[in-house]
Amino acid sequence: MTGLGAGADELERYRGELTGFCYRMLGSGFEAEDAVQETLVRAWRRYDAGRGPLRPWLFRVAANVCFDMLRGPQRRARAMDLGPAAVPGAPLGEPLPDRVWVQPVPDGRVLASAGDPAEAAVARETVRLAFVAALQLLPPRQRAVLILRDVLAWSAAEVAALLGTSAASVNSALQRARSRLPALPPAPGEDVDERLLARYVEAFERYDVDALVALLREDATLSMPPFAWWLSGREAVRAVLTAAAASGPPCGGSRAVPARASGSPAFAQYRDGTAFALVVLETAGDAVAHVTTYLDPRLFRLFGLPDEFGGPAPY
């Protein structure tokens, strides 16, 4: 068995793009990290130059690791994929297991900091929660083909070599995958995410319902994994927030720390100085289209965020 030895640094060069591939395949930042770590361990133990160039070999291993992890009937989804919107005032219901949910990933783990602007835009759009959730509808091999061809721009021959099949088979799988998914969304124009996030965070810390709702699209959605409960429409969100405020702001004293998650602006919510939730804001133009509040403090460590932070909001 031949190891890379001093090639550990070379392996690390590929961690980011491997993580992006595995995240799109698996729909979970935690599982993507595990898959990449397993891929690099196998590469350290088994790779030698006789196997061919390192990069395609790593992706072949990563694809096989993902295929193994995807065995079973459960696909990850968003609340909107699981049932109709809740009526304001309806109970949250029982929390669902972690394996049900498409989860966010830190942008820094999957998106390059520089490069061609068009490629960067495609990379950002294809790690957004809605697109990753749509990918989960595809069988694993079709999913891999679409990611490699349409997102990473591999040729049909390269993908065929990776999957051990023919270019004609790859093209057929790609056609079937494209027919089940919408076209890749166009790159957004002006990037207003940071300014929009700042306005949303300020309104959130104040628990200013009117200001929060004013930043939403009319057809905005709001969801809170691990609950299947979700809301559709700005007025439904207003009704729930207003009712919650009647007995005192439910998030009074919260602090919000900006972050970036799955190609979108986000913030970490601390209640009484303790990690509480990661809130992902998917935007459309100058408004918020989807708010996903992950009530899972484990995400804070994945995002490099502390478990404790500061004191109450200064409002």
Side-chain angles (χ1 to χ4, degrees), residues 83-104:
V87 175
L92 293 178
E94 294 297 317
L96 300 180
D98 170 82
R99 66 179 181 274
V100 172
W101 303 106
V102 166
Q103 294 182 325

Side-chain angles (χ1 to χ4, degrees), residues 70-81:
L70 288 168
R71 297 185 191 280
Q74 180 63 54
R75 75 174 182 89
R76 292 182 178 269
R78 299 187 303 164
M80 290 75 80
D81 305 319

Side-chain angles (χ1 to χ4, degrees), residues 56-161:
W57 189 86
L58 285 171
F59 271 89
R60 184 179 306 118
V61 173
N64 287 329
V65 170
C66 289
F67 293 154
D68 287 343
M69 294 175 71
L70 288 168
R71 297 185 191 280
Q74 180 63 54
R75 75 174 182 89
R76 292 182 178 269
R78 299 187 303 164
M80 290 75 80
D81 305 319
L82 301 179
V87 175
L92 293 178
E94 294 297 317
L96 300 180
D98 170 82
R99 66 179 181 274
V100 172
W101 303 106
V102 166
Q103 294 182 325
V105 70
D107 279 11
R109 303 284 182 95
V110 295
L111 300 180
S113 58
D116 180 81
E119 292 180 3
V122 169
R124 184 171 63 252
E125 293 301 314
T126 58
V127 293
R128 294 199 192 278
L129 296 175
F131 187 80
V132 173
L135 285 174
Q136 309 311 300
L137 294 168
L138 300 175
R141 288 178 71 85
Q142 281 187 28
R143 198 180 309 174
V145 167
L146 186 135
I147 294 167
L148 290 165
R149 292 282 282 118
D150 282 358
V151 178
L152 301 182
W154 287 36
S155 70
E158 290 170 326
V159 177

Side-chain angles (χ1 to χ4, degrees), residues 19 53-54 58 71 77 146 188 205 223 235 238 244 262 271 297 299:
T19 303
L54 176 58
L58 285 171
R71 297 185 191 280
L146 186 135
E205 290 188 334
S223 60
E235 293 312 309
R238 182 193 298 276
S262 295
R271 291 183 66 177
L299 289 167

